[in-house]
Amino acid sequence: MSSSTYGKLWQESQVVLAELLEKELPAEPRKPERNAALFFHTLAILFVRYVQVARRLEACYDQGVQPQKRPVLRRLLDGVLGRLLELKQELVDLQLSEYHYMDHVLQELGLDPADLEVPIPRYFLSERAKVLQERQEVLTEILARVAPGKSVATPRPSMPREEAVRLVQMAERMRQGRLRARFMREIRRDEERERKVREGGLEEPNRGQAAICVQKVWKGCLQRRLTQQNRQQEMVFIGMALEPQLMGTSPATIRAQLGEEFRRMRQSDYEAEYQDALHSIREAVYEVEGPSMREEMKAQLRQWFIECHDLTGRFPDFPEEAIGGSSVLFAQKTPEEVRAELDLADIKVDKKKDKEKGKEKGKKEKEVEKKKAKEKKSEEDEGLKLAPSKFITTIDQAFQEYTGIGTDNNQPQPLPALWNGQDEVIHFEQRYEAGLIRAEMQKEVAAEIRLQHSWHSFAPPQVDEMMREELQNLRLAVDLEGSKRDKPPKAQRSAKQKKGKKGKKEKDLTPDRTIDSLYEELVLQGIVVKSPKVPLSAYSGDFCYLGTTLRLAETEPIPSMLDVRQNIALYAILRLENLAGKYPGKSGLQMLVHLIFKVARALQPSVLWVGNAEKTFYKKVPKEEKELDPKRLKKDLPKALNLLTAADRVLLLGTSRKPYLADIKGLCKAYERILIIPRPDYASRYVTWQRLIQKHGGLLADSLDLSALAKVSDGYSQGSLVQAVQAVLSERRLLQLPKRPLAASEFLQMLARAEPIYPEEEELLRDWYTKTPLGKKKLLAVEEEKRKAAEAKVKDKKKKKK
C-alpha cells in the first residue's frame, strides 16, 4: 500500500481518537452509573474502539517512513495499548471473570469478530531481531558442540538381531505375495477375455470401435470434472462452501509482502539520513546562530536586572541551577512573578523552623482527607465510575503534538500543516523536515549556551555563569552589598530518603561468571531449550456468538479459543521443564533458581515456562514421584518472584492439566492470573480441522465432511486433533490424494486413540476454579445478588399485604 493509504488510516484514527478523548476527558465529571449492565456496555464500547485504533496505529507505525512522525505514532500506540490493559482490568473487576463477551457491541458498531483481535505490534520482534538471531546462533552452536559427545535426546533402545531378521523376512514375504497376486490377477483377466470371445463368437473390435470407446470414456470424464467444478463454484457463490485453497502463496500476497519489506528498508535509510541531519543542522545552528543567541540572552538579562532594580530598589538574586537558572526569567513572566517564585524558593529553605505548625496542619489535612475518602466511598457505593488512567494524558499529549493542537507554554509548538490531516501527495518521499529539526536544535543550543555543559571544546563560558558574576559586580558597584554570594537552597532530604529504602537484595551466587557461561550451562542441562517458532494465530478458533445471550439467561458460556488467545495477547505479550536429577540438594536448588532468574533478567524479555505447574505445590506427593522431590521449588520460587520488578520484564508461565492436585494458596501466590483453557466448541473445532488439514498439505474435497468431523470430535482437545492430522497426512497419503480424496473416517480412526476430556474432569476444574481468589469473589457477588433479590421479594409481599 502507498503512503496515502496509511495517511487515510491515520485520518480515520484521528477522528476516533478525538471522540474517545472527548469522552475520557469531559469538561465536567460524570455521575456514577448505578446500572452494572450499562456500565459494562460503556466499558465494552471503549475497549472495542481502542482495539480498532490500536490496529490502525500499528499498521501506520509499521509502514510509515517519515522519521519525525514515527516517534509520535509510537507514543500514541503505546498509550493506546496501555489504555487497553487498563480497560481489561476494569472489565475483570466488574464481571469478576477473565472472559468477556461483546457480541452485542460488535453488532451495534457493525464490526466482525476478527475486528476484536488485539494487535501485537510488529516492532516487538523487529527491534530485537538482531539480538534474537544472535541468541539463536549461540544456542545452535552450543547444541552442535554438545551433540558429538552428549546426546540431548534419549537414545532409542537397540533391537535384537533375531527380531530385526524376522521383520525383514516378514516384509519380503509380503512383497512377494503382492507381486504373485498381481500376476495371477492378470492371468485370470486374460483367460476370462479369451473365454468370452470363444463362447460368443465375438470378433476383435476394429480400430474405429476402439477409438469410439476411448472417446466416450474421455468425454465422460471431462464432463464429470466440469460438472463438479460448476457445482463447487455455485456453492462458493451462495456461501455454502469455501473457495479451494491454492498451493503456496498467491502472487498478490507475495507482491504485498515485498512492498512492506521495501517500506521497512526505506525506514532504516530515512532514519540514518535523519540522524546525520540532526548532527549537521545542530553544528550549523551553533556556529551561525549561537553567538547572536548568547548576546541576546545577555541583553535580556541586563534589561531584567535594571527593571527589577527600578521596581524593588535592589538587584534580584540570580536563580540557581536547581530551579532552572535563567530559564525562569525567559518564561515570559513579569518581575513581580519572578520575585514571588524566588521568594517561595527561599521559604522552602526555612521549613525546619515551622515543624510544629506543620504537624498541626498535617493532622487537619489528614482529617480532611479522611472525610473526602468517606465521601468517595459513599459515592462508589452509589454507582460505578471509570478508574483514573495513567495513559490518557500520554495519548492526549501525543495526539496534540501530532495534530498541532495546543500552543501555550506547556504544550508543544504547532507542527506543519501537512501533519494536520492535509493531503500528502506533494510529500511523496516522506523524508525529514529540516525546519522542524532547526526549531528543535535552536532550543537545544539555547539551553546549552545558557546553562548546560557544552559539547564543543572551544565553547566560551556559559551565559548563566557570566551573568551571575556580572550581577555580583553590579551589586558591589551600586548596592554596596559586599561580595556575599547567594547561597543555593539546601536540598532537604528526610531521614528515610537519606538512608533509602531497605529492600530485599538477592545474593549473587555467581559473581565471577559471565552471562554467556551461565547461559551455556543452562543449555547443557536442558533447562534452556530451542523452541519452534509458532505464531499466536496458530492457536485457531472461532468467536463465541451467544455469550451475551447466555449470560442474560444466567448461564456461564464456555470461552472460545479466540477469547483465550486475546487474554494471552493482553496478559503475556503486551505486558510481557523438567528438572528431575539436576542441581540436587538445597545448595544446588538455590543455584538453579539463581541461574535461571539471573540469565532471564540479563536476556530480557524472557519467558520462564513451567510444565505441570501443580507438581511444585502438590498437596500430597504420589509415591512414584517421591524420589524426584517435585516440591523442592515450593519455597525458593516465590522468594525469587518477590525480587522481580516490572523493569526486569520476566514472565513466569505455568501450564497444568490437574491444578486441583496443588495447594491453591501457594499456586495463586506464585501465578497472578489463572486462565482455564476450555475444550473447543463446534465452531472452533470446524475451523481447527480446516486449518490443520490445509497446513499439512491436505485438500478439502467434497468427500470430506468437516461438519460431521467437527461434531463427532466433541470432547477432544486441539492437541489431539493435531496428532490425528499428523498421523493421517503422511508423505505416502499426500501422494495418493489425486486418486483417493480424504475422508472423515480416516481422521476418526486416529482420533479414537487419543484420550478425551471427560465431563467429570471439566466439572472438577470448574469447582476448583471457584476456590481461586477471583472465583471466590464471583461466588460472593452471586450470593449477594440472590440475597438482595430475596429481600426485594419480601418487601414486595409486605407492600401487597398492606
Side-chain angles (χ1 to χ4, degrees), residues 637-649:
L637 182 61
K639 291 179 182 178
L641 293 175
N642 291 334
L643 297 173
L644 291 178
T645 62
D648 293 330
R649 301 171 67 195

Side-chain angles (χ1 to χ4, degrees), residues 706-762:
L706 285 180
S707 179
L709 191 60
K711 185 68 177 177
V712 177
S713 58
D714 186 15
Y716 288 90
S717 66
Q718 288 183 315
S720 301
L721 306 188
V722 172
Q723 294 175 359
V725 172
Q726 291 176 346
V728 171
L729 294 179
S730 60
E731 294 184 7
R732 181 181 179 186
R733 185 66 183 89
L734 292 176
L735 295 175
Q736 297 174 350
L737 288 179
K739 297 181 180 178
R740 187 162 64 93
L742 293 171
S745 58
E746 300 179 64
F747 298 100
L748 292 178
Q749 290 178 1
M750 296 298 175
L751 189 63
R753 301 178 182 179
E755 188 74 15
I757 302 174
Y758 297 102
E760 295 81 6
E761 188 175 359
E762 285 187 329

Side-chain angles (χ1 to χ4, degrees), residues 254-431:
I254 295 176
R255 286 196 299 271
Q257 293 175 352
L258 290 176
E260 291 180 355
E261 291 299 325
F262 176 71
R263 292 183 68 87
R264 294 189 184 100
M265 292 173 62
R266 287 176 62 191
Q267 283 179 7
S268 59
D269 295 341
Y270 286 4
E271 183 64 27
E273 292 180 2
Y274 175 61
Q275 296 298 329
D276 294 340
L278 286 176
H279 182 75
S280 61
I281 293 177
R282 182 188 178 95
E283 285 279 357
V285 169
Y286 190 89
E287 294 176 1
V288 176
E289 302 181 20
S292 60
M293 286 182 182
R294 183 177 290 104
E295 295 302 324
E296 184 179 356
M297 290 179 187
K298 290 179 181 180
Q300 289 178 354
L301 286 173
R302 291 189 185 106
Q303 182 66 25
W304 190 262
F305 297 157
I306 296 171
E307 292 178 3
C308 287
H309 189 274
D310 294 340
L311 289 172
T312 61
R314 62 184 296 270
F315 288 109
D317 297 333
F318 199 93
E320 296 294 333
E321 292 187 10
I323 59 175
S326 61
S327 61
V328 180
L329 307 178
F330 293 134
Q332 297 180 1
K333 297 179 181 179
T334 63
E336 291 81 359
E337 292 175 346
V338 176
R339 186 65 187 177
E341 289 186 0
L342 296 176
D343 292 340
L344 287 176
D346 295 335
I347 291 172
K348 291 180 181 179
V349 181
D350 300 329
K351 280 185 177 179
K352 292 182 179 179
K353 300 179 181 179
D354 302 329
K355 280 187 177 180
E356 295 180 358
K357 295 181 180 179
K359 289 181 180 179
E360 294 178 0
K361 291 181 180 179
K363 290 180 180 179
K364 293 180 180 179
E365 290 177 357
K366 287 181 180 179
E367 292 178 359
V368 174
E369 289 179 358
K370 287 181 180 179
K371 290 181 180 180
K372 290 182 179 180
K374 289 181 180 179
E375 292 176 359
K376 287 183 179 180
K377 286 183 179 179
S378 62
E379 289 179 358
E380 291 176 358
D381 295 338
E382 292 176 359
L384 299 167
K385 282 186 177 181
L386 285 172
S389 173
K390 297 180 181 178
F391 296 95
I392 289 296
T393 306
T394 304
I395 298 173
D396 188 33
Q397 290 177 353
F399 181 71
Q400 289 180 356
E401 181 179 349
Y402 198 106
T403 55
I405 301 173
T407 57
D408 58 355
N409 296 328
N410 296 325
Q411 297 291 343
Q413 295 298 321
L415 301 180
L418 64 94
W419 285 16
N420 197 6
Q422 299 294 328
D423 187 10
E424 299 192 10
V425 175
I426 59 176
H427 304 283
F428 178 74
E429 292 189 353
Q430 294 288 299
R431 296 180 184 274

Side-chain angles (χ1 to χ4, degrees), residues 111-323:
L111 300 175
D112 296 330
D115 296 328
L116 196 59
E117 189 80 16
V118 177
I120 300 175
R122 278 165 279 194
Y123 70 80
F124 281 7
L125 287 178
S126 61
E127 291 183 354
R128 305 188 69 254
K130 186 176 181 180
V131 177
L132 294 175
Q133 183 179 0
E134 292 176 355
R135 194 180 302 176
Q136 284 292 106
E137 291 176 356
V138 171
L139 179 60
T140 305
E141 181 184 354
I142 295 173
L143 292 176
R145 190 168 65 248
V146 173
K150 178 181 178 182
S151 179
V152 177
T154 304
R156 297 180 60 183
S158 58
M159 182 182 295
R161 184 175 182 179
E162 293 79 8
E163 182 70 15
V165 171
R166 188 180 65 83
L167 289 177
V168 172
Q169 291 176 347
M170 185 186 302
E172 179 63 21
R173 292 192 190 101
M174 288 189 292
R175 187 187 68 82
Q176 292 180 2
R178 287 192 296 271
L179 291 176
R180 192 178 298 108
R182 185 186 304 171
F183 180 69
M184 296 303 296
R185 186 168 59 252
E186 292 176 356
I187 292 176
R188 284 196 297 270
R189 185 183 59 188
D190 294 341
E191 291 177 351
E192 184 67 19
R193 183 179 177 184
E194 291 177 359
R195 185 182 62 78
K196 289 182 178 180
V197 171
R198 282 196 309 271
E199 292 178 354
L202 298 177
E203 298 180 356
E204 290 287 338
N206 54 23
R207 297 181 63 180
Q209 293 176 344
I212 292 173
C213 182
V214 171
Q215 289 175 358
K216 286 181 179 180
V217 174
W218 177 241
K219 288 181 180 179
C221 178
L222 287 178
Q223 188 60 40
R224 286 191 296 272
R225 186 181 300 173
L226 181 62
T227 303
Q228 185 178 4
Q229 291 177 356
N230 293 336
R231 180 176 179 274
Q232 180 68 20
Q233 292 176 359
E234 181 181 2
M235 298 296 286
V236 170
F237 178 74
I238 64 178
M240 296 298 292
L242 295 175
E243 189 174 355
Q245 299 292 328
L246 298 175
M247 297 300 292
T249 309
S250 64
T253 304
I254 295 176
R255 286 196 299 271
Q257 293 175 352
L258 290 176
E260 291 180 355
E261 291 299 325
F262 176 71
R263 292 183 68 87
R264 294 189 184 100
M265 292 173 62
R266 287 176 62 191
Q267 283 179 7
S268 59
D269 295 341
Y270 286 4
E271 183 64 27
E273 292 180 2
Y274 175 61
Q275 296 298 329
D276 294 340
L278 286 176
H279 182 75
S280 61
I281 293 177
R282 182 188 178 95
E283 285 279 357
V285 169
Y286 190 89
E287 294 176 1
V288 176
E289 302 181 20
S292 60
M293 286 182 182
R294 183 177 290 104
E295 295 302 324
E296 184 179 356
M297 290 179 187
K298 290 179 181 180
Q300 289 178 354
L301 286 173
R302 291 189 185 106
Q303 182 66 25
W304 190 262
F305 297 157
I306 296 171
E307 292 178 3
C308 287
H309 189 274
D310 294 340
L311 289 172
T312 61
R314 62 184 296 270
F315 288 109
D317 297 333
F318 199 93
E320 296 294 333
E321 292 187 10
I323 59 175

